[in-house]
């Protein structure tokens, strides 16, 4: 039996952090054996937001490839590819756009949020506005069966299903699957400042590329319980980033120890510095191999790019078949 | 010195009529020697409005090619091409979309009118909405110098200039010309019912493919002066379709005769039927060679398509060069 296809990806706009690691990257590594895995470096969509900063996007392609390598994505197993090297996606997008509406995009919650963040309400770049449907083209170009997403990305998968269905039914064909969302366990990785999101623009992230020293510095800055003045004050564990990270990075043999530390923290029986020291040890043990592998990745980054370009050619061939079928359905096949 | 490039085109949604003939086709024939002429059969944009009627678009491609041939467009001189056979246009569109805004489209007068006509206000297909910028990609993909348009299409050329300028200045390149509008003499060709526009949906057109009999029937139905009951009543020439057509189709040696008829009409000294009989003779003499050539075109329509496909490959090569330059500018060239 053929493996099911999954599609994931990232916009290359910077290095990846532990939010990405826990939110999606580790999951992709787990899935790459069971599924036929397509991982897109979405540089066209990154340019849509950063068209006046192309070097950032260019450099970030390498960063993201090194991050993939660092976490254990196997470039000979997963099909890592560069979006702009699969021009068929744009062609597929144009034809799918007939089955999407402007209003559908306007009501997309992600677009609404990003419109506000970018102050795009008065002047909305078209490239940005159409990206939810361009993502649909990403998904449908390889006819993905499953799209691993967080709940906040559910509209993207819903759009894909709807557009696939409309295209198929309009032309009486079965070209597209209706892809399904693959919801993972929801993982919250707060920023070191206690913000519920971690992000480059918030300057609150711990990056896979961070050195041991950088990790230590950041860990010792994590937001804990601001109302706790003395080590003997009872402290709060909820909303405490140190404990959030301990829950995320402690291995099974360390779980009991973490629970014990929480208990002592609540009782006012442990210093913040002691918690942080242990957090650093645990995180560093977890992230050291990733960091080492990332260094290795950096030394072979041209090779990684080459593999991504090879992947792009593979996806391009698949997408060409999709275009061919679509054109036949729309009666615009010429011989 | 190299000839300047001009780009024109039509959405294949039906046969072409005398409005097209006088409004643009005759002008293209005149221009094809002086300029390097690109003529696009815009079937992607036709599908945007007619995605649920692909066979209409497909058949109309042949109709339009035969109409081109009929009026004297030389397929070995002008580069006639099929839009969907130049997939690079879609790629170019995506990158140009970063330099257009949603609001710019919303304020486009053509889009406003067509939104109302199609009742698209509540649910606007994205494919339709983005077509003004897709047209910009048509124009910029071949780096046209001139775009022959009517005043109502001025925004399309303005958009092209603006987007070309923004792309160039953002990346510090000189990839795109700022194309200029080439305004012809404004030609009004009313429908046979007196409507100021002629169109298939209005069922008021005289088509290049119409037989002599069809032409006669239509000419005898043209809207004249509804208040004139008897041939002895003084009649109005203004707004009278018979005289509008006489002005358009009389040759130089017939001009005096037409002026004489107008005089007699105003004095109540000529019957409507006499005017129409003469109009038929004049129009038929004008349109007969076009009709004959169209029949010839129909008999070689597969050859015409073949030439349009050859043209498409030529344009595709030009567009590939444009894409290459754009990608280099945006730092997404990979080797």
């Amino acid at each position: 039996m053929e493996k099911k296809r999954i599609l994931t990806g990232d916009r290359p706009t910077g290095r990846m952090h532990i939010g990405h690691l826990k939110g999606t990257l580790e999951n992709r590594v787990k899935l790459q054996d069971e599924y036929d895995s397509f991982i897109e470096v979405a540089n066209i969509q990154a340019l849509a937001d950063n068209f006046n900063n192309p070097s950032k996007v260019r450099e970030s392609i390498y960063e993201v490839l090194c991050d993939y390598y660092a976490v254990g994505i196997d470039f000979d197993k997963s099909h890592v590819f560069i979006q702009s090297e699969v021009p068929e996606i744009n062609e597929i997008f144009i034809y799918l756009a007939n089955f999407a509406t402007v209003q559908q995009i306007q009501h997309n919650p992600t677009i609404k949020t990003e419109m506000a963040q970018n102050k795009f309400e008065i002047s909305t770049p078209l490239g940005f506005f159409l990206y939810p449907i361009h993502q649909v083209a990403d998904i449908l170009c390889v006819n993905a069966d499953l799209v691993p997403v967080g709940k906040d990305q559910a509209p993207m998968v819903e759009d894909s299903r709807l557009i696939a269905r409309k295209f198929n039914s309009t032309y009486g064909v079965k070209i597209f699957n209706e892809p399904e969302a693959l919801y993972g366990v929801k993982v919250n990785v707060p920023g070191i400042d206690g913000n519920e999101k971690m992000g480059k623009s918030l300057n609150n992230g711990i990056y896979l590329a961070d050195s041991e020293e950088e990790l230590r510095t950041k860990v010792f800055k994590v937001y804990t319980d601001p109302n706790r003045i003395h080590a003997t004050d009872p402290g709060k564990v909820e909303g405490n980033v140190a404990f959030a990270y301990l829950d995320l990075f402690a291995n099974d043999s360390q779980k009991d120890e973490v629970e014990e530390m929480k208990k002592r923290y609540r009782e006012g029986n442990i210093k913040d510095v002691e918690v942080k020291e242990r957090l650093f040890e645990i995180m560093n043990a977890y992230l050291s191999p990733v960091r080492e592998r990332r260094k290795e990745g950096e030394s072979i980054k041209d090779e990684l790019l080459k593999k991504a370009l090879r992947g792009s050619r593979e996806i391009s061939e698949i997408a060409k078949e999709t275009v061919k079928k679509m054109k036949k359905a729309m009666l615009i096949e010429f011989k």
Side-chain angles (χ1 to χ4, degrees), chain A residues 146-160:
Chain A
L146 292 164
V147 187
V149 287
K151 290 273 177 201
D152 56 324
Q153 289 168 301
M156 177 178 75
V157 184
E158 253 331 295
D159 281 347
S160 302

Side-chain angles (χ1 to χ4, degrees), chain A residues 191-206:
Chain A
I192 60 169
D193 58 355
N195 193 310
E196 76 177 277
K197 276 250 175 186
M198 180 173 283
K200 193 167 196 171
S201 56
L202 300 166
N203 196 26
N204 66 357
I206 292 176

Side-chain angles (χ1 to χ4, degrees), chain A residues 145-188:
Chain A
D145 299 287
L146 292 164
V147 187
V149 287
K151 290 273 177 201
D152 56 324
Q153 289 168 301
M156 177 178 75
V157 184
E158 253 331 295
D159 281 347
S160 302
R161 294 173 60 82
L162 185 68
I163 290 171
R165 200 180 313 144
K166 281 187 180 175
F167 189 97
N168 285 346
S169 72
T170 299
Y171 301 117
V173 291
K174 284 182 179 172
I175 295 174
F176 296 115
N177 294 330
E178 290 183 33
E180 281 175 46
L182 183 67
Y183 295 116
V185 181
K186 170 100 176 114
V187 180
N188 286 315

Side-chain angles (χ1 to χ4, degrees), chain A residues 3-7 35-36 38 142-146 318:
Chain A
K3 284 178 180 177
K4 288 198 169 188
R5 282 186 184 168
I6 61 173
L7 184 116
Y35 294 99
D36 197 12
F38 297 77
V142 296
N143 239 336
D145 299 287
L146 292 164
I318 295 171

